[in-house]
Amino acid sequence: FLMNLLDMLPRLQVIVLLGNEAKKGFRDIGAQTHADRREIAVIRTWSTSPRAWISVDKSDPQLRRRKEIIIEKLTEAARLIASTPRSK
């Protein structure tokens, strides 16, 4: 189903995977290869669950809260979209 959906979105530029389940599902169906072939940026970040907003990312060198990282990744996605010329 996801591959068909991706094919229906010819102007898709960015996919944001929120949480481990999304990352795992994307990997398990081989969607990364499809995204690579179409030059779609794939950004991975934490889930937006209430707990994620208050948790600290222990793998982050600056020990930032996960909400900071989520916002950073969503901002990155917006920047990528804004910087890509739009074709009609």
Side-chain angles (χ1 to χ4, degrees):
F1 174 77
L2 180 60
M3 300 302 204
N4 290 336
L5 178 61
L6 294 176
D7 288 337
M8 288 188 274
L9 302 167
R11 294 174 52 195
L12 182 65
Q13 300 169 25
V14 179
I15 297 171
V16 179
L17 301 174
L18 300 167
N20 290 331
E21 292 299 316
K23 294 174 207 173
K24 183 180 181 309
F26 195 77
R27 183 194 67 226
D28 288 354
I29 64 168
Q32 183 65 56
T33 302
H34 193 76
D36 290 345
R37 190 173 36 242
R38 291 207 20 221
E39 297 181 0
I40 300 169
V42 179
I43 297 173
R44 294 163 175 81
T45 191
W46 297 102
S47 164
T48 56
S49 71
R51 189 173 58 168
W53 287 107
I54 60 171
S55 299
V56 170
D57 181 356
K58 293 182 175 135
S59 68
D60 182 60
Q62 299 168 331
L63 292 176
R64 295 177 295 168
R65 291 197 182 279
R66 288 181 180 177
K67 72 178 179 181
E68 294 175 64
I69 296 166
I70 294 167
I71 291 167
E72 176 184 283
K73 296 295 186 173
L74 293 174
T75 302
E76 177 185 346
R79 256 188 261 123
L80 285 170
I81 292 167
S83 69
T84 304
R86 296 180 189 200
S87 60
K88 298 195 181 213

